[in-house]
Amino acid sequence: MAQTTAVLINHSSSDAITDFVLKQGNGVKGLSEIGLKNLPKQYVQPLEEIISEDKIMPQAIPIIDMSELDGPAAEESVCRAAEKWGFFQIINHGVPIEVLENVKEATHRFFRLPAEEKRKYLKEFSPSNNVRFGTSFSPEVEKALEWKDYVSLFYVSEDEASALWPSVCRDQVLDYMRRSETVIRRLLDVLMKNLKVTETDGTKESLLMGSKRINLNYYPICPKPELTVGIGRHSDVSTLTVLLQDGVGGLYVRGDDDYWIHVPPVDGSLVINVGDALQIMSNGRYKSVEHCVMTDGSKNRISIPIFINPRPSDKISPLREVLASGEKAVYKEVLYSDYVKHFFRKAHNGKKTVDFAKIR
């Protein structure tokens, strides 16, 4: 290990870094913890990917009190935020603070595991395609890597999760997913009502939230945070994403022109954002918005997004209720699994994924 570490610190071998990070299961957390003073060249991003201070807007995304959601004013606030911002934070959402703290601690526990334990969940060793430990977004196709490790857990059933998810975090993650379901349904009901969808039957429910995936993301201390990113610019492919942040911060949302808005952590809050699937189903009325994560030079950061998605076998297109008044469809019908494959077969590239579904 001492020889490998020396090679890494001197940056004399790109292959050694790739082997250490990707194949041995150390991740970028391992790089961070050996005390690098400089950033390996694989992680140096193009200048246009870095958000400079002069590109940050002194604005904030809306904060909505979910305890007032039974009233028309709060419902209007949710819909307006989905239309204008694509992002908002919710407070008093009903998920107990203890549940949020437990899943954050469980995330730290997973990433404190020895590399040989995390390595068991790499693509080539994992007991299931639904459980995946990795780093960056898609290292095989990225020109510059992201400074992030993750474990991605696709929910199929309680039985499968109990059998296959990492035991150090499984119970807390499942509890968080269960407890968040009520608020997710409430938000979708409000957003659908605004689209004149008055009945959410089994088919509609499947289309909106037929599958779920949760990621535990870890952004270790970075030796040169001004040179790289935690996650590059992208929009999510979900219906909705529900994000739990810790207290460090680093999430940025694209505002007007080429300016960005920081989403500061708010104690006990959850960040909600519209995904591409909902943008397509609403025919562009609700906006999925480009966002990214910047790295930190002094603190480790975690984030925990739940992605609420159609099922892979579902076909997504503008809802018939949206088009009932004669509005012209902007998007064609696409198989959701094809849309997701298109997203993952390339590096992050802003909002370009949604072009896959646009009618030319």
Side-chain angles (χ1 to χ4, degrees):
M1 175 61 79
Q3 184 177 4
T4 301
T5 301
V7 169
L8 289 165
I9 290 174
N10 291 321
H11 304 169
S12 59
S13 170
S14 295
D15 289 340
I17 294 173
T18 299
D19 184 75
F20 180 82
V21 172
L22 297 175
K23 297 180 181 177
Q24 294 180 32
N26 290 287
V28 289
K29 182 175 185 283
L31 277 185
S32 176
E33 290 176 348
I34 63 174
L36 291 179
K37 301 301 181 188
N38 292 300
L39 196 68
K41 62 183 180 181
Q42 297 101 308
Y43 294 91
V44 177
Q45 295 281 337
L47 282 177
E48 61 268 20
E49 290 297 319
I50 309 300
I51 298 176
S52 57
E53 288 292 331
D54 63 332
K55 287 295 184 181
I56 300 173
M57 300 173 70
Q59 283 185 281
I61 65 170
I63 298 177
I64 298 172
D65 188 340
M66 290 295 289
S67 67
E68 301 174 356
L69 195 57
D70 292 334
E75 290 188 2
E76 184 182 345
S77 294
V78 167
C79 297
R80 193 186 320 118
E83 291 172 359
K84 179 182 177 182
W85 297 89
F87 267 82
F88 52 98
Q89 296 202 66
I90 56 173
I91 57 173
N92 297 322
H93 42 67
V95 184
I97 296 295
E98 180 183 3
V99 171
L100 303 182
E101 293 304 315
N102 286 347
V103 76
K104 286 192 278 188
E105 175 53 35
T107 299
H108 282 290
R109 275 202 305 275
F110 176 84
F111 288 102
R112 283 197 295 263
L113 288 174
E116 57 268 25
E117 286 297 311
K118 290 182 286 191
R119 189 171 181 267
K120 293 176 182 178
Y121 299 101
L122 288 171
K123 181 179 180 179
E124 55 267 44
F125 305 120
S126 179
S128 168
N129 284 334
N130 296 330
V131 182
R132 185 74 53 81
F133 169 63
T135 187
S136 194
F137 172 64
S138 186
E140 300 82 6
V141 296
E142 290 170 304
K143 293 180 180 177
L145 299 176
E146 301 170 342
W147 193 260
K148 177 195 77 170
D149 297 329
Y150 67 89
V151 59
S152 184
L153 306 167
F154 188 89
Y155 180 84
V156 174
S157 68
E158 295 275 326
D159 288 344
E160 182 183 280
S162 297
L164 299 177
W165 288 13
S167 60
V168 294
C169 60
R170 174 191 60 221
D171 293 345
Q172 294 77 16
V173 170
L174 283 171
D175 191 29
Y176 171 50
M177 293 183 76
R178 287 187 210 106
R179 299 293 194 106
S180 63
E181 185 160 329
T182 298
V183 72
I184 291 165
R185 288 180 180 275
R186 289 182 75 198
L187 288 168
L188 285 172
D189 283 347
V190 169
L191 291 167
M192 288 299 103
K193 179 181 171 185
N194 189 49
L195 296 178
K196 308 295 190 238
V197 178
T198 54
E199 290 188 24
T200 305
D201 58 15
T203 302
K204 280 270 182 10
E205 184 168 308
S206 167
L207 193 62
L208 294 169
M209 51 185 301
S211 68
K212 299 173 194 165
R213 178 168 59 90
I214 186 167
N215 274 21
L216 311 183
N217 295 329
Y218 190 91
Y219 309 91
I221 294 169
C222 183
K224 297 286 183 182
E226 69 278 6
L227 296 180
T228 193
V229 297
I231 302 181
R233 305 173 184 207
H234 71 288
S235 59
D236 295 342
V237 294
S238 57
T239 302
L240 286 181
T241 301
V242 179
L243 175 72
L244 174 61
Q245 299 197 83
D246 66 8
V248 177
L251 172 64
Y252 289 84
V253 175
R254 185 183 279 280
D256 296 329
D257 300 321
D258 194 30
Y259 286 87
W260 293 81
I261 300 164
H262 183 232
V263 182
V266 174
D267 285 346
S269 74
L270 294 169
V271 180
I272 308 296
N273 66 274
V274 173
D276 289 354
L278 186 54
Q279 176 171 319
I280 291 167
M281 286 187 269
S282 70
N283 205 37
R285 184 164 177 178
Y286 299 137
K287 307 285 194 301
S288 68
V289 176
E290 203 173 332
H291 53 286
C292 63
V293 173
M294 294 291 107
T295 55
D296 195 284
S298 59
K299 295 178 182 177
N300 299 316
R301 176 182 184 261
I302 61 165
S303 70
I304 306 165
I306 301 175
F307 302 99
I308 309 301
N309 312 307
R311 293 179 306 178
S313 58
D314 285 326
K315 293 179 179 179
I316 58 172
S317 63
L319 297 169
R320 58 180 174 77
E321 292 89 342
V322 176
L323 302 180
S325 64
E327 183 176 325
K328 186 177 179 182
V330 178
Y331 303 100
K332 61 188 177 184
E333 182 179 80
V334 295
L335 185 65
Y336 186 65
S337 61
D338 288 344
Y339 191 86
V340 172
K341 286 173 188 173
H342 176 68
F343 177 69
F344 280 104
R345 71 166 60 106
K346 58 186 175 53
H348 280 143
N349 62 348
K351 276 282 293 178
K352 292 182 180 177
T353 304
V354 80
D355 290 345
F356 181 78
K358 273 190 176 174
I359 294 173
R360 305 293 178 181

